[in-house]
Amino acid sequence: MLRHWLRSKMPSQDTLRQHKVLALFGERLLDPDCWFCNRHSAAVAVGAGLFAAWLPLPMHTLAAVALALGLRGYLPLAIAMVWVNNPVTLAPMYYLAYRFGAHLLGSPELDLDGPLEQEALAAALPLLTGALLLGLASALLGWLLVQLGWRAKVLFSWWLRRQSRKP
């Protein structure tokens, strides 16, 4: 029932073809495998979306779409997972990424009393390092949790079916 409702809310192929920004991806965007949810495509989509959410650049959604298309993930889920990074979580995520990157690189603490350009350049490498590593870690963890959760659901369904057949 939920699946039918979701399908009714999905954009048509003609709508996707006419969208200017999505034209960058060409016909690959219309591949039916990218619009079908199974264990592999859901896990890849979660990983792609979480990785793109950590990237310190604008247009996270396009990065998630590109990753999901390249890895054959379920596009709607990849786009939804990008919204882990929203206006409320943006500052804490990037602060954590900066602190993690600065710790790994051994960078000194920023004092923010110099020119803004120098401080921004000094923060760029630790931020990028931390964001990429945390993005990779969260993508792998998300992929693994979807794989294990899907498998557990299937095993539980089998167990319930077996229990209902016993006299």
Side-chain angles (χ1 to χ4, degrees), residues 37-98:
C37 187
N38 57 32
R39 186 175 70 179
H40 170 73
S41 67
V44 166
V46 168
L50 288 175
F51 181 77
W54 280 97
L55 295 178
L57 50 92
M59 303 177 116
H60 296 97
T61 304
L62 289 179
V65 167
L67 284 169
L69 285 175
L71 299 171
R72 303 183 71 81
Y74 182 51
L75 284 176
L77 185 56
I79 292 169
M81 291 308 297
V82 169
W83 287 99
V84 166
N85 184 349
N86 58 55
V88 174
T89 62
L90 180 76
M93 283 177 70
Y94 288 160
Y95 180 71
L96 176 66
Y98 167 74

